[in-house]
Structures are given as C-alpha cells and as structure tokens.
Amino acid sequence: MRFRQVHLDFHTSEAIPGIGRNFSKAQFQSMLQLGHVDSITVFSKCHHGWAYHPSEANEMHPGLEFDLLGAMIEAAHEIGVKTPVYISAGLDEKLARRHPEWLIRDENDRTRWVDSFMKPGYHEFCLNTPYLDLLIAQIEEVVSRYDADGIFLDIVAVRRCYCQSCVADLRREGHDPRDTDAFKRLWERTYANYTARVRAAIDAIKPGLPVFHNGGHIRCGRRDLAHMNTHLELESLPTGGWGYDHFPLSARYAAGLGMPFLGMTGKFHTTWGEFGGFKHPNALRYETALSIANGARCSIGDQLHPNGLMDETTYRLIGAAYAEVERKEAWCTDVTGVADIGLLGVEALHSELGIEAPRVGHSDAGAVRMLLEGKFLFDVIDWQSDLSRYKVLILPDQIALTAELAGKLNRFLAGGGRVLATGRSGLWREAAGGAGDGSGQPDGFAIDLGVEWLGENGYKPDYFQPHFPLQSLGRGTFIFYAQGQRIALAQGGTELGVRQNPYFNRDVFTFSSHQHTPNDPQTAGPGMVESPHGIYIAWNVFEDYATKGSLTLKETVVHALNRLLPEKSLRTNLPAQGVVTLMQQPGESRYVNHLLYASPVKRGEGVEVIEDLVPLYDIEVSVRLPAEPKRVYLAPEGEDLPFQWDGEASRASYTLPKLLCHQMIVLEV
C-alpha cells in the first residue's frame, strides 16, 4: 500500500455533455506530480450507474466518447503511480429506475438514501437480488480488461432490508418475516455471500488483487467484516460529518487488526461532491500527519470535473501536505503503536452481543477525547484482543457484562491489570444469565471494584465532591450532568470522592433558578472508589464529556488514570489540543515519538476548520525505554536532540525547542 493516495470521485449525471473532453494525459500526470501522489483510485462506475470505459457488462456514459478509465491508468502507470479502480457497488441510479424491485426497502417499503423517486438523490440496492449478478459481471470485466492495482467497492455493508426478495427468502426457509432475528441472520448472510463472490470472481482472474468494501466506518468488534477486505481505508472526513475525533478512534482500533490501513480525508471544505470548495492547506498538513502518526497511510478525496481536467488548485493543496509526508515515510513504515491503556468501548460490546447501534456513540467518543487530551497512549480494542498487553482497561459508561466477558476481565485482573469503570460498567447484564433479579436492572457488580451497587440514582443531574484537588480548579463540588449510580463501599474499597444530590429534581412544581437545583451539602454516598483492581466512578462521565465537555469531568478521569498508571510509557507537557503517539519500528531498532498540534474551530453550522498553525515552544517529553537510546534526533531533519537518561527509571527525557504542526523525534535503541 502506497503512502500518498488520492481517491478520485466522478459521480456524473447523464444530463451533462462532453464528458472527459478536456482530459489530457500530460495534464493528468503533471497534476499527480504537483500533488506528490503515488496512488490514485480511478473510476469504472459511478453512483449514477455509468461506466467510464467501453463495456458489455454495463453502459458507457452517454456523454463519453473514449476509454477514460484506460487513459487514466495508462497515464498514471507511465509515471509510477498505482491505480486501484473504483466501482459503485451499492448505488446505480440508472438501474434503480429500471429495477426498483431490487432496491433496499425498510419496513414501510421506503427506499434507502432518498425514500422516494420524487426527490434528488440515489437509491441503494439490495445484494440479495439479481443485481448482484450484474455487479459481479462488472467487476470481472474491469479486472480482466484493465491493469487495476486493486478494486474499491463503495456503499456496501450489512444492511437492514425488507424487500420482497428478502421476505421471500425467509418464507422459503420457513421463517416469519416479522421475526427480526431471522432477518438479521439473512442480512449477515447476504453481505458475506456478496464479499465471497467478489473475492472468488477476482481471484479467478487476478489472484490476490487487493479489495476494499467501503461502508464509511470500520465497526469495532466486527473482525469478521474487517477481514473480508485485504486492507482498510478509514473514511473519516473531519469536515464531512466525522469530525476530528473519529479518525483517532478508528485508527487505534484498525492498528490492532494486523492489516494495512490508511486514513481517508478530503480536500473539500465540507464533504464529498463539493465542487469549488477547499480546506486550508494547513488542515491537510495536520490531517495527513495525524494519519502517519497513528501508523496509517494517507488518502485524500477529490472529485474530477466532468470535462476531465484535473484542478490545479486542488493538487497544489494536496501537494503541500504530501510533500511533507513523502519526506517522513521512512520513519512511518512497518510500525506498531505503544499503548498503556486499552479502551473496551460500547461499540465493541454491542458487536460482541450482536446489538445494532450507531457507529460511534458518545461514551466511546468522550473517552477517546479525554485520552487524547490527557496524553495517554492507548488502543481501542475489542473482546478478541489480548487484554494482557495493557496495564489498564477502560470500561466507559455502559459496559454491563455477561458471564463470559466478566470471566475475561477477572482473568485480566488476576494477572495484575487494573480497570477504570464508569456508570453502569462492570455490572451484570441480566439478559446473559448473570445475577439478574428479573426487574430489568443489573443486580450488582460482576467484577470486584470495592463497591456495592444500590441502583440508579433518582436525581439527575447531581454533584461530585472529590477528596482531592482538581488540577485547574482545586477543591470544590462539581455538577455532573449524566446519569449516576448509587453505590456503597464494599471490602477493599477506598472512597476518593462523594456524591451530593440536589434538593430536588427540576419539575413543574419544584424548580429553582434557570437550570438545575443547587446541591444539598449532605453526603449521599460514595461517588468515586479505588480498590486493588482499579477505580470506579459512579457516573457516565465519558458520555457527559462528549456532550458537555466539562473540565471537571476530564480532570477527574485524568486523576484516576494517573493513580492507575504511576509509570506511564510517555509523559509530556504538550497542551490539551495536541496529540502524541509513540510508535515502535522494530526493523530499524528505533522508536518514533510523534507530536502534533492544531486547534480546530467551528465555522458556520458545525464545520470544524483548521486554518492557523500556532508554534509551541519547549515541549518536554519523557519516554520509558528498554535501554538507553544510542541517539535521539529530529526527523526528517536529522538534527540531534540532547537528552537525559535516568537508568533507574529507564526513562529518556528531552525538550523539543519548537513544534509547528507535526514533529517526529526518533530514539534509536
């Protein structure tokens, strides 16, 4: 997999004439060179359904008069640029109007993407219909006729579908179509059959050709789905709805799957399909640096104009970022991340239990944001991960346990690991046959955290009074907005803070002031407890941080993690908005410390923008290493960096004089 990829969209209506009329081999090549591009995903078939080459398996765009796909592949290969080929698998708008019976339908017979044919937009196909045979033929045609360096299949995933093909299949198998579980099994089989047929069709022509099936997110805990690909492309456009928190979460999970992966952002100010929209060059510099700092390669999304002319503004923009990536690649190849903490999130739990849920919930997002801001080294993991690799596991807010999952955690704790659990995490999950009491509520803790569970707190919001000073605010009583749990101390538990309830909940007959009721100063039981196995915080603090962003929440969690991790692998004074990673490059006998800093701001309605890169000075770092480094230097500059070695603590310490956007510090061991 190359480092500097462009994902070139070309979703072009049949109502536009002169398709590709200005395409020029020389201009195409010059733009790729201007952009420092070494791989470009070019297009066979777009969402409108048209082919951009002569085709018997499909129909060539009516406004196109030559083999555009072939011309792009030839031009790119001539200058050493790879060309994976894009095929829109889930969408084909011309065919949707000819065969609406092949489309995905919901329970009310509405279509997916747009719910009728009287609105502009696309309609997604069900892969449990004759459409799949047509799609396979299109894939076979491309693989057999063109020198493709891979196949990228878009808009595919396990989908809910109630079309008549799916209903008929269930009835033929003797199932009731009103049985949601039976439908779920069919949807899983449909996707698995699709990916297997794609693999078989390609391998019959070009065995081992790389394939990626894009659904917009790699679901944590669904390793089976991830491994239906040869590699992973993490679609994560910060300004396109994903935000700047999504990629670190997704990358820290993908890195543990043993597969090559890249981070896909876009050149757009907003998202896909935006002509004439550009983000600031500094944003792409930061986003591509964030990819390589997390062990990923890079991909930047673009969309070709219907006339086939590559946009020079776009490739100047891309080149500003990729010129830097090109100089850094040697220190970013064949790396593995160093991590003290494993985040066992809600998405991983839902995947393990077969629960449908949004792709990234508030608890997982809030936990990742706190870990990034607290400068902790972490992985996002699932229940198939080797838990013993981590010193601390975080169970954020909603990780109620089955007997099997509790067993895994108890083995981790018996081996000396520690846990930070919050909210309902660590409680029995009644539906799994744990110690449920039939009330629909959990019945106590499945792991020993030094606390006894008394039930959900009836007051919301309520207050936390820590027995320790917060780093920024000192001692006090602080509002926690999210749902809390009532607990009592059990054997081995030490109280680190208490709950205070409000005088009453806000109601029509009992309310006070503009928001919530003040705290009743009487103690209402423990709120944070430490035990030999870890620390329990009795609120959904990560969900609260994702929605409210309160400083008190973060400093409470950072205090807890610092107690659980007295010897962190890395310490730094990098400010909260900075990002730090530590990658090991075993083949080169070195570690690479990445430091990044940029400050996204919101412009307009929810668009996060990076424009100014503010330099930081005198960034201090201390890294725990297996041996004293032979040399510490800046990369790619090659400039030696003075360091101090503490042999007793096995720590190398150094100060980076200046950080502008991204810096790599290499420690040769």
Side-chain angles (χ1 to χ4, degrees):
M1 180 185 287
R2 298 285 182 92
F3 265 96
R4 290 164 279 116
Q5 185 163 297
V6 161
H7 184 94
L8 190 63
D9 266 4
F10 198 62
H11 306 299
T12 307
S13 167
E14 62 276 8
I16 298 177
I19 303 304
R21 66 186 175 193
N22 293 337
F23 176 81
S24 158
K25 176 180 178 180
Q27 197 264 354
F28 186 77
Q29 292 174 331
S30 68
M31 291 302 101
L32 295 180
Q33 291 167 333
L34 177 64
H36 292 258
V37 177
D38 61 11
S39 178
I40 182 167
T41 301
V42 292
F43 37 85
S44 163
K45 174 192 171 188
C46 73
H47 290 344
H48 292 272
W50 301 111
Y52 294 91
H53 53 87
S55 176
E56 285 77 54
N58 197 359
E59 300 172 39
M60 193 160 80
H61 192 291
L64 180 65
E65 297 179 351
F66 69 104
D67 186 348
L68 180 55
L69 174 62
M72 289 188 293
I73 291 175
E74 178 185 351
H77 282 180
E78 192 173 281
I79 59 171
V81 175
K82 295 285 189 181
T83 55
V85 174
Y86 176 98
I87 296 173
S88 179
L91 304 177
D92 185 327
E93 194 58 22
K94 68 168 166 41
L95 198 62
R97 294 179 180 273
R98 299 173 189 172
H99 288 285
E101 72 277 12
W102 294 349
L103 298 175
I104 289 176
R105 302 281 175 164
D106 68 10
E107 299 95 323
N108 297 311
D109 207 39
R110 292 174 299 206
T111 52
R112 180 179 166 87
W113 277 55
V114 292
D115 59 10
S116 79
F117 282 92
M118 295 304 293
K119 298 176 182 178
Y122 305 115
H123 303 81
E124 189 172 349
F125 276 85
C126 174
L127 298 173
N128 188 35
T129 66
Y131 171 70
L132 179 58
D133 295 327
L134 298 181
L135 176 62
I136 295 296
Q138 293 167 359
I139 296 168
E140 290 172 333
E141 181 178 74
V142 169
V143 175
S144 61
R145 292 185 180 182
Y146 294 95
D147 187 14
D149 294 305
I151 298 294
F152 184 103
L153 295 155
D154 205 8
I155 320 299
V156 283
V158 178
R159 302 292 198 208
R160 298 175 64 92
C161 181
Y162 296 85
C163 76
Q164 291 307 305
S165 291
C166 290
V167 169
D169 273 8
L170 282 188
R171 297 191 69 187
R172 190 162 44 248
E173 295 168 2
H175 298 296
D176 186 343
R178 289 161 291 201
D179 180 353
T180 301
D181 289 337
F183 256 126
K184 286 180 180 179
R185 292 190 293 270
L186 174 62
W187 300 331
E188 293 279 349
R189 288 201 314 270
T190 295
Y191 185 70
N193 174 64
Y194 148 75
T195 60
R197 286 194 59 186
V198 167
R199 187 71 262 171
I202 291 173
D203 285 347
I205 304 166
K206 289 184 179 177
L209 188 70
V211 176
F212 178 66
H213 307 273
N214 185 44
H217 176 66
I218 305 301
R219 186 169 176 81
C220 184
R222 290 302 307 267
R223 293 180 176 229
D224 56 334
L225 299 182
H227 286 287
M228 292 175 187
N229 306 284
T230 55
H231 64 284
L232 301 176
E233 303 196 21
L234 310 183
E235 186 177 7
S236 188
L237 281 65
T239 58
W242 286 262
Y244 277 98
D245 288 342
H246 176 266
F247 177 74
L249 186 154
S250 196
R252 293 321 306 151
Y253 178 64
L257 297 179
M259 304 172 69
F261 70 104
L262 60 78
M264 181 187 291
T265 183
K267 67 94 178 180
F268 316 105
H269 173 64
T270 57
T271 192
W272 300 107
E274 182 184 57
F275 292 97
F278 304 91
K279 62 180 52 168
H280 196 283
N282 286 339
L284 273 190
R285 290 174 62 198
Y286 176 79
E287 290 159 21
T288 52
L290 187 63
S291 282
I292 61 175
N294 281 281
R297 309 296 171 94
C298 307
S299 179
I300 298 173
D302 179 27
Q303 180 152 345
L304 185 66
H305 191 278
N307 66 19
L309 198 66
M310 299 276 272
D311 182 73
E312 185 173 346
T313 305
T314 294
Y315 288 87
R316 280 200 311 270
L317 171 63
I318 291 172
Y322 275 174
E324 294 185 5
V325 173
E326 188 173 10
R327 292 193 295 271
K328 298 172 181 177
E329 290 171 9
W331 295 272
C332 302
T333 303
D334 299 326
V335 296
T336 57
V338 176
D340 294 325
I341 296 171
L343 173 61
L344 267 172
V346 178
E347 186 177 47
L349 178 69
H350 287 166
S351 295
E352 185 73 12
L353 300 178
I355 298 171
E356 294 182 83
R359 63 186 186 187
V360 177
H362 288 316
S363 295
D364 291 356
V368 167
R369 173 44 47 197
M370 281 197 195
L371 289 167
L372 290 170
E373 293 179 359
K375 305 299 168 283
F376 295 98
L377 301 181
F378 70 98
D379 288 336
V380 177
I381 61 176
D382 60 29
W383 292 91
Q384 282 72 55
S385 301
D386 178 5
L387 304 186
S388 67
R389 293 184 61 239
Y390 305 98
K391 301 171 186 175
V392 172
L393 298 179
I394 294 179
L395 309 179
D397 299 347
Q398 301 291 345
I399 313 301
L401 302 171
T402 65
E404 180 183 358
L405 301 184
K408 290 185 177 184
L409 287 178
N410 281 316
R411 287 190 290 275
F412 169 77
L413 295 171
R418 304 191 77 189
V419 163
L420 172 61
T422 64
R424 297 171 65 85
S425 294
L427 294 169
W428 282 109
R429 189 176 193 87
E430 185 189 59
D437 63 3
S439 67
Q441 293 281 1
D443 187 17
F445 281 92
I447 55 177
D448 182 4
L449 294 172
V451 292
E452 176 188 353
W453 184 71
L454 303 178
E456 187 172 273
N457 193 26
Y459 293 95
K460 181 186 173 185
D462 52 359
Y463 297 83
F464 177 54
Q465 186 179 81
H467 295 334
F468 52 88
L470 297 186
Q471 181 179 351
S472 301
L473 299 173
R475 296 186 180 276
T477 302
F478 307 103
I479 185 74
F480 279 13
Y481 287 95
Q483 182 62 58
Q485 307 296 319
R486 293 187 297 113
I487 56 172
L489 282 178
Q491 185 175 359
T494 300
E495 189 177 81
L496 299 181
V498 297
R499 161 184 283 104
Q500 291 182 0
N501 288 323
Y503 289 102
F504 43 77
N505 284 329
R506 189 174 178 85
D507 186 63
V508 62
F509 298 116
T510 53
F511 69 90
S512 179
S513 192
H514 298 291
Q515 290 195 61
H516 42 266
T517 312
N519 57 304
D520 181 342
Q522 296 185 65
T523 296
M528 181 174 177
V529 173
E530 185 170 18
S531 73
H533 286 158
I535 292 176
Y536 174 74
I537 302 173
W539 289 268
N540 294 349
V541 292
F542 297 112
E543 170 196 330
D544 204 350
Y545 195 66
T547 55
K548 298 287 189 184
S550 169
L551 177 65
T552 57
L553 296 162
K554 178 174 69 174
E555 294 196 348
T556 299
V557 169
V558 168
H559 179 86
L561 289 173
N562 284 338
R563 290 182 70 90
L564 297 174
L565 278 172
E567 284 298 326
K568 296 194 291 185
S569 294
L570 184 147
R571 301 189 188 116
T572 180
N573 65 348
L574 186 66
Q577 198 58 45
V579 173
V580 60
T581 64
L582 181 64
M583 311 304 287
Q584 185 177 10
Q585 204 173 20
E588 303 293 337
S589 299
R590 63 194 182 197
Y591 290 82
V592 182
N593 171 209
H594 294 261
L595 299 172
L596 299 93
Y597 187 82
S599 188
V601 297
K602 287 195 174 181
R603 300 261 175 88
E605 296 182 356
V607 178
E608 290 184 279
V609 171
I610 290 175
E611 184 172 330
D612 301 319
L613 291 178
V614 178
L616 302 180
Y617 297 93
D618 298 329
I619 303 302
E620 299 171 2
V621 182
S622 169
V623 180
R624 189 177 178 88
L625 295 172
E628 181 177 358
K630 301 170 185 174
R631 182 188 178 201
V632 177
Y633 66 94
L634 305 181
E637 297 86 353
E639 177 185 340
D640 284 337
L641 188 65
F643 71 95
Q644 296 78 44
W645 174 250
D646 182 342
E648 186 175 341
S650 296
R651 302 193 76 90
S653 300
Y654 45 88
T655 299
L656 177 66
K658 180 181 178 181
L659 170 62
L660 182 65
C661 187
H662 176 227
Q663 182 64 60
M664 297 185 295
I665 299 98
V666 183
L667 302 98
E668 293 184 344
V669 294

